[in-house]
Amino acid sequence: MFSAVPGRLMPGPYRSLFADRTFRRLMPVFALSDLGDGMTVVAVAWLALALGPDGGRGALAGIAVASYVLPGALGALILGRWMRRLPAWRLLVTDSALRAVLLGAVPLAHVAGLLTPAVYVGLLGASSLLHAWGKAGKHALFGPLLADDQRLAANSVLSTSLWSATIAGPALAGLLVGVVSPAWIIGLDAATFAVLTLQTSRTTLPRSPVPPATGGAERGLRILCRQPELLGLLLVTWVFNLAFGPVEVALPLFVSGNLDAGAGLLGAYWAAFGIGAVIGALALGAARRLPLWPAMLGIIGGHGIGMLPFALTDTVLPSLIGFAFAGLVYGPYSALSFTLIQDRAPADLLTTVLAARSAVLLTASPLGAAFGGFLLDRTNAPAVLVGCGALMILIVPTSIVVLKLHGNHRRRHQSSRIPAEARRAA
């Protein structure tokens, strides 16, 4: 509902959210670090293409993209014994500080002439080791501060910040690549994480309004598995992310190879995707909650349809419009997912559940990226991009069949219990 106060066109949920002083203080640095990560969407793959040997550039790009994400899943599993005891704000600070230091080492190694493919992949991998915990801390940070009816709006703002960075970050990186090495762009991302670390450390936050998590990522997985709705959402999202993984590797080669263009056009593609995602995420924040499964499957199918125009390689416009449409339908996905988990997970185990979710999902996109890099050295970028869309579309009927089978099984199970309970009562 919109406010009736003249001159205030911001929807009510957003206005009450930004009335919170802590939220207003932290959102700018969240947005800044999102912008840095938006630049790395272009820089990580582009630098890998520059470092890769002839005939293996696609493979190295896939490995680099995977290494920037995949170790976070390992960190969620093996570091839970120590990380689970930390409050949300400290998880965020620890992850941001690690990323600031190790990503900052990329341009230094470049200047020193030491940035080999192995060093590059190693720095990217080590920087992502705490990513699952840092992401969990970010989304759990405002739990004690916000009312239940503000959570969807808060998640929509966080998603909007991420997608806004997808507009500005790749476009900015595309411009900078023509002036400086992509290594320096990764260094700028490190600087944004340094600012995030400093600001979060200086902000007064409720340190223990919710008891710290009492289990590691394994316990979070057990909680997810006990709730069929959350488990089903996790599995569908994993396959969705797996299908999207090759896009991050194939799109740079589509631009540089098939379209014979530079990083500026690559940035334009990601900017178009981000513009669509911002519109979608903002629209969700002001709307009532959507029915979960129709919304999720509609998003996945729509995203897949948006990838099909990449089959047209003689012109930019169809695929650019299609990618923007894919972003539009994808925009609400993260906010819907996080809101559902925040509502269903125990409050004292929220960071643990979110870390477990991240641990599972962090394996999907990197595996897809690595597989996409393998395919790119044996086929072409348009085939990989269109194949990703076809796989996304296939997820929809498959999920519908599984949901119907599960529903029928549950109804049969419940009906079989009624006569037994009646006999016991008699």
Side-chain angles (χ1 to χ4, degrees):
M1 180 179 294
F2 285 80
S3 172
V5 179
R8 292 187 178 181
L9 299 179
M10 183 180 292
Y14 290 128
R15 193 173 61 255
S16 63
L17 183 64
F18 281 95
D20 185 88
R21 183 175 180 273
T22 303
F23 191 85
R24 291 198 314 271
R25 184 179 176 86
L26 289 178
M27 267 312 303
V29 291
F30 285 169
L32 181 64
S33 67
D34 287 340
L35 177 64
D37 271 346
M39 291 190 291
T40 61
V41 169
V42 171
V44 167
W46 210 258
L47 182 55
L49 293 176
L51 294 174
D54 292 338
R57 297 193 308 154
L60 181 59
I63 293 171
V65 171
S67 67
Y68 192 47
V69 180
L70 190 57
L74 181 63
L77 295 174
I78 66 175
L79 300 178
R81 178 180 179 183
W82 300 275
M83 304 302 293
R84 70 193 185 196
R85 298 186 176 93
L86 300 180
W89 70 272
R90 192 174 290 279
L91 291 173
L92 178 60
V93 167
T94 305
D95 174 49
S96 300
L98 181 68
R99 291 167 80 85
V101 171
L102 294 177
L103 293 179
V106 171
L108 297 180
H110 170 69
V111 171
L114 301 175
L115 193 60
T116 64
V119 170
Y120 180 48
V121 169
L123 289 174
L124 291 177
S127 74
S128 69
L129 190 61
L130 301 180
H131 180 63
W133 292 103
K135 189 174 183 180
K138 179 179 179 180
H139 283 273
L141 188 65
F142 296 112
L145 302 175
L146 304 176
D148 291 343
D149 59 356
Q150 292 178 308
R151 288 178 179 174
L152 183 59
N155 288 327
S156 295
V157 171
L158 291 173
S159 295
T160 301
S161 171
L162 180 64
W163 296 127
S164 297
T166 307
I167 300 171
L172 180 58
L175 293 174
L176 291 176
V177 162
V179 180
V180 299
S181 166
W184 290 107
I185 299 175
I186 295 174
L188 287 177
D189 187 28
T192 67
F193 279 109
V195 174
L196 175 60
T197 302
L198 180 62
Q199 182 72 338
T200 305
S201 301
R202 295 172 55 190
T203 301
T204 301
L205 294 165
R207 299 302 169 101
S208 57
V210 176
T214 55
E218 298 86 350
R219 184 172 183 182
L221 287 174
R222 289 196 295 271
I223 294 173
L224 290 170
C225 290
R226 286 198 298 266
Q227 299 198 34
E229 189 175 32
L230 293 183
L231 179 61
L233 177 61
L234 180 64
L235 294 175
V236 169
T237 304
W238 190 90
V239 179
F240 185 24
N241 288 357
L242 179 73
F244 187 76
V247 175
E248 298 184 42
V249 181
L251 187 58
L253 288 179
F254 178 80
V255 170
S256 63
N258 296 91
L259 299 179
D260 194 24
L265 182 58
L266 177 61
Y269 271 97
W270 285 112
F273 185 90
I275 290 171
V278 167
I279 296 172
L282 283 175
L284 172 69
R288 293 182 177 181
R289 189 166 302 176
L290 300 175
L292 175 69
W293 285 109
M296 294 295 183
L297 295 180
I299 288 171
I300 295 171
H303 197 294
I305 292 172
M307 300 300 299
L308 299 183
F310 279 102
L312 305 174
T313 60
D314 56 344
T315 180
V316 172
L317 191 59
S319 56
L320 192 63
I321 294 174
F323 209 44
F325 176 77
L328 175 68
V329 297
Y330 182 69
Y333 197 92
S334 295
L336 284 170
S337 299
F338 281 116
T339 302
L340 178 67
I341 294 175
Q342 289 168 341
D343 287 344
R344 304 295 171 84
D348 59 333
L349 292 171
L350 181 57
T351 56
T352 300
V353 171
L354 289 173
R357 174 187 181 273
S358 294
V360 174
L361 295 184
L362 285 174
T363 63
S365 183
L367 288 176
F371 184 62
F374 174 81
L375 290 177
L376 284 168
D377 290 332
R378 290 158 179 80
T379 181
N380 56 70
V384 172
L385 291 168
V386 173
C388 290
L391 179 57
M392 293 174 191
I393 294 172
L394 184 62
I395 292 172
V396 178
T398 303
S399 299
I400 292 173
V401 171
V402 172
L403 286 171
K404 286 185 177 180
L405 290 175
H406 174 72
N408 293 337
H409 173 75
R410 186 168 61 178
R411 284 192 293 271
R412 287 196 299 269
H413 178 69
Q414 290 174 344
S415 63
S416 66
R417 290 178 57 187
I418 294 175
E421 292 174 353
R423 287 195 300 270
R424 285 196 298 268

